[in-house]
Amino acid sequence: MTSVLVSGASGIVGYGILRSLRRSGLALKLIGTSIHADTVASAFCDVFELAPHTGKPGYLDWLLQTTRKHAVSLVIPGIEIDMHHWNDHRTALETAGVIPMLNAPELVTLCRDKWVFHENLRQAGLPMLIESSLNADFEQLAARYGLPFLLKPRQGFASKGIVRINSVHEFAQHKTLIGEFLMAQPIVGNDDHEYTASAFGDGAGGYHAVITMKRKLSADGFTASASVVSSEPFEQAIAVLCQRFRPEGPTNFQFRLSGDNVKLLEINPRISSSTSIRAAFGYNESAMAVEYYLDGKAPAQPVIQQGNAVRYTDEIITYEDCLHL
């Protein structure tokens, strides 16, 4: 039986991957890891391992030791910090006989800094670019973008740390962080026209499969509700972006519509938080990744079920003698 390790298994992405792999019916031994001992991860994996913090001394040795212990063939990052750390240590993982489920290394590095990514889009003259600035002058930004406008972290994920600026007083609280840590952007479109599209990149400038959902975000920045929609309005933008960045494997594109114009919020070069929702509608990118990275099997476009999804709070109950779901 093939062993697959999923990190960050206590979070929405990590246990979403585990749930999707279990749903797939593939013969897999699932190892979930997390820095949190008190976690739901054990409900979705066969073996749970408590992990040290990523990047701390000894972390890579622990990871390699854990993969040897469970004869792991594939490791899948469930949190952003692991994706970047593993990308920095691809050679060590591969030398140890472990395949990391990672996107094209250049794209992973480029997406680490949203300003650097913005500059790449700007230099390419791509029309889906959202104008951004490192200018720390409120009057100039307000005149250029109108009020409110956004201050957005150069590094981060799930819309965390984004500040909506309505006044010079609010701006003053964050002004010193602009440039090194924050960038300014206009608000494009509105919350009712935000879309998450996931495509499986072929590594050669195209993609094998795609699904798109219209979504609303929770206060934490993750998808709270979603509806399956046609990918057609976004396929040209996805094709252009794939041609430029050559993603390989699961790749998440976040868009907004501004009138008839498709604008790119960001690319996440990984499996994102809506993965278990996508799997429920027929797009199981985690299972696709296992077959692609381990067996070289390119995924076909699956039949996508139409419908809506709403996330809610639930509990995992563990009794002394058994697990109660």
Side-chain angles (χ1 to χ4, degrees), residues 119-301:
E119 287 297 278
N120 189 293
L121 290 176
R122 184 183 62 80
Q123 291 164 13
L126 298 186
M128 68 285 295
L129 171 74
I130 296 177
E131 184 183 356
S132 302
S133 175
L134 298 183
N135 190 339
D137 186 293
F138 174 79
E139 297 299 334
Q140 291 182 20
L141 289 172
R144 188 173 175 182
Y145 298 152
L147 291 175
F149 61 84
L150 300 178
L151 294 181
K152 184 176 184 178
R154 290 179 56 166
Q155 297 188 28
F157 63 99
S159 300
K160 294 181 182 296
I162 293 178
V163 181
R164 187 177 291 237
I165 299 297
N166 292 279
S167 68
V168 66
H169 174 71
E170 290 176 334
F171 184 79
Q173 298 175 52
H174 306 281
K175 180 177 180 178
T176 58
L177 299 177
I178 297 172
E180 185 176 1
F181 299 105
L182 298 176
M183 53 194 275
Q185 280 188 347
I187 296 175
V188 172
N190 57 58
D191 294 346
D192 292 329
H193 293 91
E194 184 157 323
Y195 299 84
T196 177
S198 286
F200 200 102
D202 64 9
Y207 60 94
H208 296 291
V210 65
I211 184 175
T212 303
M213 297 186 295
K214 186 177 182 180
R215 71 173 187 175
K216 289 188 179 295
L217 295 178
S218 69
D220 294 327
F222 298 114
T223 298
S225 63
S227 302
V228 175
V229 298
S230 171
S231 295
E232 185 176 356
F234 307 96
E235 285 179 348
Q236 182 177 357
I238 293 170
V240 169
L241 291 166
C242 284
Q243 183 62 43
R244 178 161 184 82
F245 298 115
R246 300 182 180 274
E248 183 173 17
T251 308
N252 177 241
F253 302 85
Q254 296 179 15
F255 296 111
R256 276 200 172 190
L257 288 182
S258 179
D260 294 329
N261 297 316
V262 174
K263 293 295 183 180
L264 179 69
L265 293 174
E266 62 184 13
I267 294 179
N268 294 313
R270 57 176 171 80
I271 293 175
S272 70
S273 68
S274 300
T275 191
S276 58
I277 295 176
R278 291 191 286 270
F281 288 119
Y283 189 92
N284 194 329
E285 61 197 326
S286 298
M288 293 178 191
V290 169
E291 295 183 321
Y292 178 83
Y293 283 86
L294 294 183
D295 303 324
K297 180 181 176 181
Q301 175 65 47

Side-chain angles (χ1 to χ4, degrees), residues 8 30 70 99 114 117 120 213 221 238 263:
L30 300 178
H70 297 289
I99 297 174
K114 293 179 175 61
F117 182 74
N120 189 293
M213 297 186 295
I238 293 170
K263 293 295 183 180

Side-chain angles (χ1 to χ4, degrees), residues 76-131:
I76 303 178
I79 50 177
E80 185 129 331
I81 189 174
D82 285 352
M83 175 184 69
H84 290 300
H85 192 77
W86 297 0
N87 190 51
D88 292 339
H89 296 89
R90 280 184 189 243
T91 301
L93 289 165
E94 292 168 351
T95 300
V98 179
I99 297 174
M101 198 228 78
L102 294 170
N103 215 306
E106 298 82 3
L107 180 59
V108 174
T109 299
L110 185 63
C111 291
R112 197 167 195 163
D113 187 320
K114 293 179 175 61
W115 175 256
V116 174
F117 182 74
H118 166 272
E119 287 297 278
N120 189 293
L121 290 176
R122 184 183 62 80
Q123 291 164 13
L126 298 186
M128 68 285 295
L129 171 74
I130 296 177
E131 184 183 356

